[in-house]
Amino acid sequence: MKNINWFYYAAPQTFYGLAGKAWPWFAVLATALMLAGMWLGFAVAPSDFQQGEGYRIIFVHVPASWMSMVIYLAMAFWSVLGLTFNTRLSGMMTRALAPTGALFAFLSLWTGALWGKPMWGAWWVWDARLTSELILFFLYLGYIALTSAIDDTRRSDRAGALIAIVGAINVPIIYFSVKWWNTLHQGASVSVTQAPSMAAIMLWGMLLMALAFWFYTVALVLYRVRTLILQRESHATWVHELEEVKS
């Protein structure tokens, strides 16, 4: 089996072309999966015997919460690669991920408030999971603010990488908070060690939405990183030879 030269794809010029071919496919898949997930979650799945129709917020809230954590871990991963191998693409990928991660963290907090009001009688409580998710949102904002404030891209990438790596410790705190502390927030909706506690149709609706958010994230990040590559490599000859730049 032929070995794949990953460093070849780490070059901005090579990755630009690969991302340009891939992102439309991910966007199409995200749209199809989201439509299917919303249909199952909001039209087919039955009402919950305890929460009634209000539980349907989980089809957005739970996948958004998952993605807010996964994206931050992806930022930490790219940051480690950038600091270890000094690859230019790593900083651009981390920066491209941050706005989408912040969006999902905000969506998680907002949908959680909409869910919490009828269930707990309050829009917000200083619950361990809610508080740690809020900290994650602030970490995203801090990363975006810091990297935007430093003009030198090399220094900006290194400073942002440190935030991403150090802040990653908050992700397991979010995940295990309902086990470590006595919280109002319910436990995990899906566990790899236990059978799901929800009906199969509900589970499928939530998993389809989670996959849709995954593909949406990949599509948006690939599209955004292409813009960053053009900005940072504007001095390169290959950029000026691109048809989209000439036009």
Side-chain angles (χ1 to χ4, degrees), residues 34-64:
M34 189 171 297
L35 290 174
M38 292 182 69
W39 175 69
L40 283 180
F42 293 95
V44 178
S47 299
D48 184 76
F49 73 98
Q50 288 182 323
Q51 303 183 35
E53 298 294 335
Y55 89 96
R56 297 186 191 276
I57 198 81
I58 69 167
F59 297 110
V60 176
H61 174 72
V62 174

PDB file of all heavy atoms in Angstrom, residues 34-64:
ATOM      1  N   MET A  34     -29.077  17.399   7.634  1.00  0.00           N
ATOM      2  CA  MET A  34     -29.830  18.287   8.520  1.00  0.00           C
ATOM      3  C   MET A  34     -31.317  18.213   8.230  1.00  0.00           C
ATOM      4  O   MET A  34     -32.150  18.191   9.147  1.00  0.00           O
ATOM      5  CB  MET A  34     -29.331  19.721   8.371  1.00  0.00           C
ATOM      6  CG  MET A  34     -29.897  20.677   9.414  1.00  0.00           C
ATOM      7  SD  MET A  34     -29.107  22.299   9.406  1.00  0.00           S
ATOM      8  CE  MET A  34     -27.422  21.873   9.851  1.00  0.00           C
ATOM      9  N   LEU A  35     -31.679  18.161   6.956  1.00  0.00           N
ATOM     10  CA  LEU A  35     -33.091  18.032   6.597  1.00  0.00           C
ATOM     11  C   LEU A  35     -33.664  16.716   7.111  1.00  0.00           C
ATOM     12  O   LEU A  35     -34.780  16.677   7.649  1.00  0.00           O
ATOM     13  CB  LEU A  35     -33.254  18.133   5.075  1.00  0.00           C
ATOM     14  CG  LEU A  35     -32.999  19.513   4.459  1.00  0.00           C
ATOM     15  CD1 LEU A  35     -33.045  19.425   2.940  1.00  0.00           C
ATOM     16  CD2 LEU A  35     -34.013  20.530   4.966  1.00  0.00           C
ATOM     17  N   ALA A  36     -32.883  15.636   6.965  1.00  0.00           N
ATOM     18  CA  ALA A  36     -33.338  14.331   7.448  1.00  0.00           C
ATOM     19  C   ALA A  36     -33.452  14.316   8.967  1.00  0.00           C
ATOM     20  O   ALA A  36     -34.422  13.802   9.542  1.00  0.00           O
ATOM     21  CB  ALA A  36     -32.380  13.233   6.979  1.00  0.00           C
ATOM     22  N   GLY A  37     -32.466  14.901   9.646  1.00  0.00           N
ATOM     23  CA  GLY A  37     -32.486  14.932  11.099  1.00  0.00           C
ATOM     24  C   GLY A  37     -33.625  15.764  11.649  1.00  0.00           C
ATOM     25  O   GLY A  37     -34.282  15.379  12.629  1.00  0.00           O
ATOM     26  N   MET A  38     -33.886  16.908  11.027  1.00  0.00           N
ATOM     27  CA  MET A  38     -34.987  17.763  11.478  1.00  0.00           C
ATOM     28  C   MET A  38     -36.333  17.098  11.223  1.00  0.00           C
ATOM     29  O   MET A  38     -37.264  17.221  12.023  1.00  0.00           O
ATOM     30  CB  MET A  38     -34.908  19.121  10.788  1.00  0.00           C
ATOM     31  CG  MET A  38     -33.714  19.957  11.205  1.00  0.00           C
ATOM     32  SD  MET A  38     -33.663  21.583  10.427  1.00  0.00           S
ATOM     33  CE  MET A  38     -35.069  22.369  11.214  1.00  0.00           C
ATOM     34  N   TRP A  39     -36.437  16.379  10.119  1.00  0.00           N
ATOM     35  CA  TRP A  39     -37.686  15.669   9.820  1.00  0.00           C
ATOM     36  C   TRP A  39     -37.957  14.592  10.866  1.00  0.00           C
ATOM     37  O   TRP A  39     -39.071  14.488  11.394  1.00  0.00           O
ATOM     38  CB  TRP A  39     -37.611  15.072   8.425  1.00  0.00           C
ATOM     39  CG  TRP A  39     -38.813  14.228   8.079  1.00  0.00           C
ATOM     40  CD1 TRP A  39     -40.090  14.661   7.861  1.00  0.00           C
ATOM     41  CD2 TRP A  39     -38.842  12.803   7.936  1.00  0.00           C
ATOM     42  NE1 TRP A  39     -40.920  13.603   7.583  1.00  0.00           N
ATOM     43  CE2 TRP A  39     -40.187  12.452   7.619  1.00  0.00           C
ATOM     44  CE3 TRP A  39     -37.877  11.795   8.027  1.00  0.00           C
ATOM     45  CZ2 TRP A  39     -40.557  11.125   7.412  1.00  0.00           C
ATOM     46  CZ3 TRP A  39     -38.263  10.491   7.808  1.00  0.00           C
ATOM     47  CH2 TRP A  39     -39.584  10.163   7.508  1.00  0.00           C
ATOM     48  N   LEU A  40     -36.916  13.815  11.193  1.00  0.00           N
ATOM     49  CA  LEU A  40     -37.090  12.776  12.212  1.00  0.00           C
ATOM     50  C   LEU A  40     -37.358  13.385  13.582  1.00  0.00           C
ATOM     51  O   LEU A  40     -38.230  12.921  14.327  1.00  0.00           O
ATOM     52  CB  LEU A  40     -35.845  11.890  12.284  1.00  0.00           C
ATOM     53  CG  LEU A  40     -35.658  10.833  11.199  1.00  0.00           C
ATOM     54  CD1 LEU A  40     -34.371  10.061  11.442  1.00  0.00           C
ATOM     55  CD2 LEU A  40     -36.834   9.875  11.161  1.00  0.00           C
ATOM     56  N   GLY A  41     -36.602  14.431  13.924  1.00  0.00           N
ATOM     57  CA  GLY A  41     -36.691  14.992  15.261  1.00  0.00           C
ATOM     58  C   GLY A  41     -37.949  15.797  15.516  1.00  0.00           C
ATOM     59  O   GLY A  41     -38.535  15.720  16.605  1.00  0.00           O
ATOM     60  N   PHE A  42     -38.394  16.557  14.519  1.00  0.00           N
ATOM     61  CA  PHE A  42     -39.497  17.483  14.741  1.00  0.00           C
ATOM     62  C   PHE A  42     -40.823  17.020  14.143  1.00  0.00           C
ATOM     63  O   PHE A  42     -41.868  17.575  14.483  1.00  0.00           O
ATOM     64  CB  PHE A  42     -39.145  18.867  14.184  1.00  0.00           C
ATOM     65  CG  PHE A  42     -38.034  19.539  14.932  1.00  0.00           C
ATOM     66  CD1 PHE A  42     -36.722  19.444  14.501  1.00  0.00           C
ATOM     67  CD2 PHE A  42     -38.293  20.260  16.086  1.00  0.00           C
ATOM     68  CE1 PHE A  42     -35.687  20.052  15.194  1.00  0.00           C
ATOM     69  CE2 PHE A  42     -37.274  20.875  16.789  1.00  0.00           C
ATOM     70  CZ  PHE A  42     -35.960  20.776  16.344  1.00  0.00           C
ATOM     71  N   ALA A  43     -40.782  16.015  13.274  1.00  0.00           N
ATOM     72  CA  ALA A  43     -42.026  15.567  12.645  1.00  0.00           C
ATOM     73  C   ALA A  43     -42.372  14.114  12.938  1.00  0.00           C
ATOM     74  O   ALA A  43     -43.542  13.766  13.047  1.00  0.00           O
ATOM     75  CB  ALA A  43     -41.946  15.774  11.121  1.00  0.00           C
ATOM     76  N   VAL A  44     -41.374  13.263  13.077  1.00  0.00           N
ATOM     77  CA  VAL A  44     -41.624  11.833  13.225  1.00  0.00           C
ATOM     78  C   VAL A  44     -41.537  11.381  14.676  1.00  0.00           C
ATOM     79  O   VAL A  44     -42.376  10.601  15.145  1.00  0.00           O
ATOM     80  CB  VAL A  44     -40.629  11.015  12.357  1.00  0.00           C
ATOM     81  CG1 VAL A  44     -40.846   9.520  12.552  1.00  0.00           C
ATOM     82  CG2 VAL A  44     -40.775  11.401  10.894  1.00  0.00           C
ATOM     83  N   ALA A  45     -40.528  11.840  15.397  1.00  0.00           N
ATOM     84  CA  ALA A  45     -40.321  11.393  16.783  1.00  0.00           C
ATOM     85  C   ALA A  45     -41.521  11.741  17.657  1.00  0.00           C
ATOM     86  O   ALA A  45     -42.097  12.827  17.524  1.00  0.00           O
ATOM     87  CB  ALA A  45     -39.063  12.029  17.353  1.00  0.00           C
ATOM     88  N   PRO A  46     -41.917  10.836  18.540  1.00  0.00           N
ATOM     89  CA  PRO A  46     -43.069  11.098  19.417  1.00  0.00           C
ATOM     90  C   PRO A  46     -42.722  12.081  20.521  1.00  0.00           C
ATOM     91  O   PRO A  46     -41.546  12.377  20.765  1.00  0.00           O
ATOM     92  CB  PRO A  46     -43.379   9.711  19.992  1.00  0.00           C
ATOM     93  CG  PRO A  46     -42.054   9.015  20.007  1.00  0.00           C
ATOM     94  CD  PRO A  46     -41.320   9.496  18.789  1.00  0.00           C
ATOM     95  N   SER A  47     -43.736  12.576  21.200  1.00  0.00           N
ATOM     96  CA  SER A  47     -43.523  13.460  22.346  1.00  0.00           C
ATOM     97  C   SER A  47     -42.936  12.670  23.507  1.00  0.00           C
ATOM     98  O   SER A  47     -43.164  11.470  23.642  1.00  0.00           O
ATOM     99  CB  SER A  47     -44.845  14.108  22.773  1.00  0.00           C
ATOM    100  OG  SER A  47     -45.387  14.880  21.726  1.00  0.00           O
ATOM    101  N   ASP A  48     -42.197  13.356  24.352  1.00  0.00           N
ATOM    102  CA  ASP A  48     -41.646  12.731  25.543  1.00  0.00           C
ATOM    103  C   ASP A  48     -42.721  12.686  26.629  1.00  0.00           C
ATOM    104  O   ASP A  48     -43.463  13.660  26.810  1.00  0.00           O
ATOM    105  CB  ASP A  48     -40.439  13.522  26.034  1.00  0.00           C
ATOM    106  CG  ASP A  48     -39.749  12.864  27.215  1.00  0.00           C
ATOM    107  OD1 ASP A  48     -39.041  11.880  27.006  1.00  0.00           O
ATOM    108  OD2 ASP A  48     -39.950  13.344  28.342  1.00  0.00           O
ATOM    109  N   PHE A  49     -42.792  11.572  27.355  1.00  0.00           N
ATOM    110  CA  PHE A  49     -43.881  11.420  28.324  1.00  0.00           C
ATOM    111  C   PHE A  49     -43.709  12.332  29.528  1.00  0.00           C
ATOM    112  O   PHE A  49     -44.683  12.606  30.245  1.00  0.00           O
ATOM    113  CB  PHE A  49     -43.978   9.957  28.789  1.00  0.00           C
ATOM    114  CG  PHE A  49     -42.881   9.521  29.723  1.00  0.00           C
ATOM    115  CD1 PHE A  49     -43.078   9.500  31.100  1.00  0.00           C
ATOM    116  CD2 PHE A  49     -41.644   9.129  29.231  1.00  0.00           C
ATOM    117  CE1 PHE A  49     -42.066   9.098  31.948  1.00  0.00           C
ATOM    118  CE2 PHE A  49     -40.636   8.724  30.086  1.00  0.00           C
ATOM    119  CZ  PHE A  49     -40.837   8.707  31.445  1.00  0.00           C
ATOM    120  N   GLN A  50     -42.485  12.862  29.771  1.00  0.00           N
ATOM    121  CA  GLN A  50     -42.260  13.771  30.884  1.00  0.00           C
ATOM    122  C   GLN A  50     -42.173  15.226  30.438  1.00  0.00           C
ATOM    123  O   GLN A  50     -42.773  16.107  31.055  1.00  0.00           O
ATOM    124  CB  GLN A  50     -40.968  13.394  31.626  1.00  0.00           C
ATOM    125  CG  GLN A  50     -41.076  12.110  32.454  1.00  0.00           C
ATOM    126  CD  GLN A  50     -39.783  11.815  33.193  1.00  0.00           C
ATOM    127  OE1 GLN A  50     -38.690  12.057  32.681  1.00  0.00           O
ATOM    128  NE2 GLN A  50     -39.901  11.301  34.416  1.00  0.00           N
ATOM    129  N   GLN A  51     -41.441  15.483  29.361  1.00  0.00           N
ATOM    130  CA  GLN A  51     -41.179  16.859  28.937  1.00  0.00           C
ATOM    131  C   GLN A  51     -42.077  17.338  27.811  1.00  0.00           C
ATOM    132  O   GLN A  51     -42.002  18.506  27.421  1.00  0.00           O
ATOM    133  CB  GLN A  51     -39.707  16.996  28.503  1.00  0.00           C
ATOM    134  CG  GLN A  51     -38.713  16.605  29.590  1.00  0.00           C
ATOM    135  CD  GLN A  51     -37.281  16.816  29.152  1.00  0.00           C
ATOM    136  OE1 GLN A  51     -36.963  17.755  28.423  1.00  0.00           O
ATOM    137  NE2 GLN A  51     -36.388  15.942  29.593  1.00  0.00           N
ATOM    138  N   GLY A  52     -42.904  16.456  27.279  1.00  0.00           N
ATOM    139  CA  GLY A  52     -43.805  16.857  26.204  1.00  0.00           C
ATOM    140  C   GLY A  52     -43.056  17.227  24.941  1.00  0.00           C
ATOM    141  O   GLY A  52     -42.067  16.581  24.572  1.00  0.00           O
ATOM    142  N   GLU A  53     -43.499  18.311  24.280  1.00  0.00           N
ATOM    143  CA  GLU A  53     -42.868  18.754  23.036  1.00  0.00           C
ATOM    144  C   GLU A  53     -41.579  19.520  23.298  1.00  0.00           C
ATOM    145  O   GLU A  53     -40.743  19.666  22.408  1.00  0.00           O
ATOM    146  CB  GLU A  53     -43.838  19.643  22.245  1.00  0.00           C
ATOM    147  CG  GLU A  53     -45.121  18.956  21.806  1.00  0.00           C
ATOM    148  CD  GLU A  53     -44.863  17.844  20.790  1.00  0.00           C
ATOM    149  OE1 GLU A  53     -43.831  17.903  20.083  1.00  0.00           O
ATOM    150  OE2 GLU A  53     -45.695  16.920  20.701  1.00  0.00           O
ATOM    151  N   GLY A  54     -41.408  20.009  24.513  1.00  0.00           N
ATOM    152  CA  GLY A  54     -40.240  20.827  24.819  1.00  0.00           C
ATOM    153  C   GLY A  54     -38.920  20.102  24.695  1.00  0.00           C
ATOM    154  O   GLY A  54     -37.869  20.733  24.504  1.00  0.00           O
ATOM    155  N   TYR A  55     -38.937  18.781  24.765  1.00  0.00           N
ATOM    156  CA  TYR A  55     -37.682  18.024  24.698  1.00  0.00           C
ATOM    157  C   TYR A  55     -37.027  18.117  23.335  1.00  0.00           C
ATOM    158  O   TYR A  55     -35.819  17.831  23.198  1.00  0.00           O
ATOM    159  CB  TYR A  55     -37.948  16.547  25.030  1.00  0.00           C
ATOM    160  CG  TYR A  55     -38.298  15.703  23.832  1.00  0.00           C
ATOM    161  CD1 TYR A  55     -37.320  14.968  23.169  1.00  0.00           C
ATOM    162  CD2 TYR A  55     -39.596  15.679  23.324  1.00  0.00           C
ATOM    163  CE1 TYR A  55     -37.633  14.208  22.054  1.00  0.00           C
ATOM    164  CE2 TYR A  55     -39.918  14.927  22.214  1.00  0.00           C
ATOM    165  CZ  TYR A  55     -38.935  14.192  21.574  1.00  0.00           C
ATOM    166  OH  TYR A  55     -39.250  13.451  20.462  1.00  0.00           O
ATOM    167  N   ARG A  56     -37.801  18.504  22.301  1.00  0.00           N
ATOM    168  CA  ARG A  56     -37.271  18.483  20.928  1.00  0.00           C
ATOM    169  C   ARG A  56     -36.091  19.425  20.738  1.00  0.00           C
ATOM    170  O   ARG A  56     -35.376  19.327  19.732  1.00  0.00           O
ATOM    171  CB  ARG A  56     -38.384  18.818  19.934  1.00  0.00           C
ATOM    172  CG  ARG A  56     -39.510  17.806  19.918  1.00  0.00           C
ATOM    173  CD  ARG A  56     -40.528  18.090  18.807  1.00  0.00           C
ATOM    174  NE  ARG A  56     -41.725  17.268  18.981  1.00  0.00           N
ATOM    175  CZ  ARG A  56     -41.832  16.016  18.554  1.00  0.00           C
ATOM    176  NH1 ARG A  56     -40.821  15.450  17.915  1.00  0.00           N
ATOM    177  NH2 ARG A  56     -42.954  15.334  18.743  1.00  0.00           N
ATOM    178  N   ILE A  57     -35.856  20.301  21.690  1.00  0.00           N
ATOM    179  CA  ILE A  57     -34.694  21.175  21.611  1.00  0.00           C
ATOM    180  C   ILE A  57     -33.396  20.370  21.633  1.00  0.00           C
ATOM    181  O   ILE A  57     -32.340  20.846  21.190  1.00  0.00           O
ATOM    182  CB  ILE A  57     -34.721  22.193  22.774  1.00  0.00           C
ATOM    183  CG1 ILE A  57     -33.787  23.373  22.484  1.00  0.00           C
ATOM    184  CG2 ILE A  57     -34.327  21.548  24.097  1.00  0.00           C
ATOM    185  CD1 ILE A  57     -34.365  24.403  21.605  1.00  0.00           C
ATOM    186  N   ILE A  58     -33.452  19.124  22.113  1.00  0.00           N
ATOM    187  CA  ILE A  58     -32.234  18.301  22.174  1.00  0.00           C
ATOM    188  C   ILE A  58     -31.676  18.015  20.793  1.00  0.00           C
ATOM    189  O   ILE A  58     -30.465  17.761  20.657  1.00  0.00           O
ATOM    190  CB  ILE A  58     -32.465  16.969  22.913  1.00  0.00           C
ATOM    191  CG1 ILE A  58     -33.378  16.036  22.104  1.00  0.00           C
ATOM    192  CG2 ILE A  58     -33.002  17.177  24.309  1.00  0.00           C
ATOM    193  CD1 ILE A  58     -33.401  14.601  22.629  1.00  0.00           C
ATOM    194  N   PHE A  59     -32.518  18.052  19.762  1.00  0.00           N
ATOM    195  CA  PHE A  59     -32.035  17.748  18.414  1.00  0.00           C
ATOM    196  C   PHE A  59     -31.117  18.846  17.878  1.00  0.00           C
ATOM    197  O   PHE A  59     -30.436  18.642  16.873  1.00  0.00           O
ATOM    198  CB  PHE A  59     -33.210  17.516  17.476  1.00  0.00           C
ATOM    199  CG  PHE A  59     -34.046  16.331  17.847  1.00  0.00           C
ATOM    200  CD1 PHE A  59     -35.334  16.487  18.345  1.00  0.00           C
ATOM    201  CD2 PHE A  59     -33.531  15.050  17.748  1.00  0.00           C
ATOM    202  CE1 PHE A  59     -36.097  15.389  18.715  1.00  0.00           C
ATOM    203  CE2 PHE A  59     -34.289  13.946  18.120  1.00  0.00           C
ATOM    204  CZ  PHE A  59     -35.569  14.120  18.604  1.00  0.00           C
ATOM    205  N   VAL A  60     -31.115  19.997  18.537  1.00  0.00           N
ATOM    206  CA  VAL A  60     -30.168  21.062  18.227  1.00  0.00           C
ATOM    207  C   VAL A  60     -29.171  21.234  19.365  1.00  0.00           C
ATOM    208  O   VAL A  60     -27.974  21.353  19.135  1.00  0.00           O
ATOM    209  CB  VAL A  60     -30.905  22.393  17.962  1.00  0.00           C
ATOM    210  CG1 VAL A  60     -29.896  23.525  17.733  1.00  0.00           C
ATOM    211  CG2 VAL A  60     -31.840  22.263  16.773  1.00  0.00           C
ATOM    212  N   HIS A  61     -29.676  21.217  20.596  1.00  0.00           N
ATOM    213  CA  HIS A  61     -28.839  21.502  21.766  1.00  0.00           C
ATOM    214  C   HIS A  61     -27.718  20.477  21.950  1.00  0.00           C
ATOM    215  O   HIS A  61     -26.554  20.865  22.123  1.00  0.00           O
ATOM    216  CB  HIS A  61     -29.714  21.543  23.025  1.00  0.00           C
ATOM    217  CG  HIS A  61     -28.926  21.686  24.292  1.00  0.00           C
ATOM    218  ND1 HIS A  61     -28.298  22.866  24.643  1.00  0.00           N
ATOM    219  CD2 HIS A  61     -28.652  20.792  25.289  1.00  0.00           C
ATOM    220  CE1 HIS A  61     -27.677  22.690  25.802  1.00  0.00           C
ATOM    221  NE2 HIS A  61     -27.869  21.455  26.217  1.00  0.00           N
ATOM    222  N   VAL A  62     -28.041  19.206  21.924  1.00  0.00           N
ATOM    223  CA  VAL A  62     -27.032  18.179  22.187  1.00  0.00           C
ATOM    224  C   VAL A  62     -25.959  18.143  21.091  1.00  0.00           C
ATOM    225  O   VAL A  62     -24.756  18.172  21.408  1.00  0.00           O
ATOM    226  CB  VAL A  62     -27.687  16.794  22.377  1.00  0.00           C
ATOM    227  CG1 VAL A  62     -26.628  15.705  22.504  1.00  0.00           C
ATOM    228  CG2 VAL A  62     -28.591  16.804  23.610  1.00  0.00           C
ATOM    229  N   PRO A  63     -26.321  18.102  19.790  1.00  0.00           N
ATOM    230  CA  PRO A  63     -25.263  18.128  18.767  1.00  0.00           C
ATOM    231  C   PRO A  63     -24.423  19.405  18.815  1.00  0.00           C
ATOM    232  O   PRO A  63     -23.210  19.348  18.590  1.00  0.00           O
ATOM    233  CB  PRO A  63     -26.047  18.036  17.452  1.00  0.00           C
ATOM    234  CG  PRO A  63     -27.324  17.353  17.809  1.00  0.00           C
ATOM    235  CD  PRO A  63     -27.651  17.860  19.170  1.00  0.00           C
ATOM    236  N   ALA A  64     -25.053  20.545  19.103  1.00  0.00           N
ATOM    237  CA  ALA A  64     -24.291  21.797  19.192  1.00  0.00           C
ATOM    238  C   ALA A  64     -23.301  21.742  20.348  1.00  0.00           C
ATOM    239  O   ALA A  64     -22.153  22.202  20.233  1.00  0.00           O
ATOM    240  CB  ALA A  64     -25.238  22.977  19.362  1.00  0.00           C
TER     241      ALA A  64
END
